[in-house]
Amino acid sequence: MSTAILTGPPVAGSPLEADLRTLGFDVRTANDATAAAELINAVPAHERIAVVDPRFVGHLHALRLALTDPRFPAAAVPGALTAQPAARAALARAVGRIPVGAGTAHLTDVLTDTLTESLDRDEAGLHRVELGSLVATVALTPAQREDAREAVAAVDDEAVRLRTAVKSRDGFFTTYGISPYSRYLARWCARRGLTPNQVTTASLLTALIAAGCAATGTRGGFVAAGFLLLFSFVLDCTDGQLARYSLQYSTMGAWLDATFDRAKEYAYYAGLALGAARGGDDVWALALGAMVLMTCRHVVDFSFNEANHDATANTSPTAALSGKLDSVGWTVWVRRMIVLPIGERWFMIAVLTALTTPRIVFYALLIGCALAACYTTAGRVLRSLTRRARRTDRAARALADLADSGPLAELIARSARGRGRTGSFLAPVMAFLSAAVLLVWVIFEDDPTSWLTVGVAVCSALLAGAAVARPLKGALDWLVPPFFRAGEYVTILVLAARADVPGALPAAYGLVAAVAYHHYDTVYRIRGGTGAPPRWLVRATGGHEGRILVITVLAAALSPSGFTIALTALAVVLALLVLVESIRFWVSSQAPAVHDEGEPA
């Protein structure tokens, strides 16, 4: 339920009450500040409440942005404000502080402005809506009202609403190839009562059908898969635009939008691999390599962003150069396309699927993503080295959570704590060595499925524990989680490939997919402000070093066919464990309502 209180001099013939009812508010009136305070206190604390001046003149969409956006505890435009349950106590205090009697007219003449300033001072999470070309004002005289109405008539708020439904920062293909018409599809969905979550689910189902078509291994199936993958991406853009158009943001929606993107892409890789196998071409190693590369690349993005989320320092010369390049229009698009964002990537995959073979698709994907990863990682390393930033405890905690260290690494870290200096390059060097020692061994050793490999895995775990022994506040400490991911994922890939038996690589694909889901879920929880998954889950999954140790033991102790069965069983167990906990958390989560605007990659 939502209640709107009109407080101030009434205005005859104003459409304001009708607009508020259109937005779903039960409208009540109060003649003065005292009556408004009584009404505010009478509304149940779990309901949203709005306070609006009857002299408000503005666009309906300005009111919608101020009064119905679920992401903010409180929001305001001139003449209107809203408070959700989280900010209701602050609103009650603000009303209670308004004096009554002589000399208070300047406080109560435009009561909404007084309350807005009070909420702002109270740090109640007030969001002041950026109106842009929209109009929102309190007209105190007939002349002001006439001028405001003319300003409202001069701007089409529906056109503004459609334009702002599109993400402001997107890739070239998405901006010019999808958004010009997907925004109208979003409006069509809104007018028929469809929700963003329903569109997100439709996008997932379309991508799964595309994967099924690719799995047929026929030219017709590949062509259909390419078209369906593009349509899935159209729906993927539409769900976010629908959320912004109708302000239907939700915690569940953010999670679904983010996780389904990865599920769609990785399911499609599996479909291509199955289709290639029907034609006698085994590309499972390429499919798994593509998934590993994409996941590691995303971990680089996530870790860098979390490390610098609230860092305080002067801008680095590299960032300053990037800012200068932003003033040259064409360089913006070139740099966005170089990183091969999701729109360009899916377009490339869809076209190559329809016209070529799965092997060529994966070659192009691996080469393109590898170049993009080198470009973005090199730029971020330069920024980190040239920026003297002070990282916070929150950033260090986020990086530690992203590292996904299990009981063994925790034990080693406790024993090594106090050695080394926080802020040095010790942590990324130890993390790099942890991954490099293991990968060099399993890649170049003639028989990596031996007990010697288990010993190397133990050495890798010792180095991993040393890497996280101190708070991760160094300039390059954001590289620690990506190094750990690369070490774990590539080890699984190589051991499965060296097993050289049917089913080993598909089983490894499923295992990496389950582990990657756990890592993505960690990212989305941190982004939602709810913290990392519970420690019992991390310990139950073994942490990255524990899983590596288990997998190397299985490879040494079992035959190749037995190793394949063990990988499959481990994938199923881990998938069930992380999925059940993740779904339980997100369904019951009290995280703030958000919509993931997403990274360009």
Side-chain angles (χ1 to χ4, degrees), residues 343-360:
E344 277 75 357
R345 189 167 70 249
W346 282 28
F347 177 74
M348 179 187 74
I349 294 171
V351 171
L352 291 179
T353 298
L355 300 180
T356 64
T357 65
R359 181 172 289 274
I360 293 176

Side-chain angles (χ1 to χ4, degrees), residues 165 232 499 575:
S232 174

Side-chain angles (χ1 to χ4, degrees), residues 78-89:
L81 67 93
T82 185
Q84 293 203 71
R88 283 289 305 277

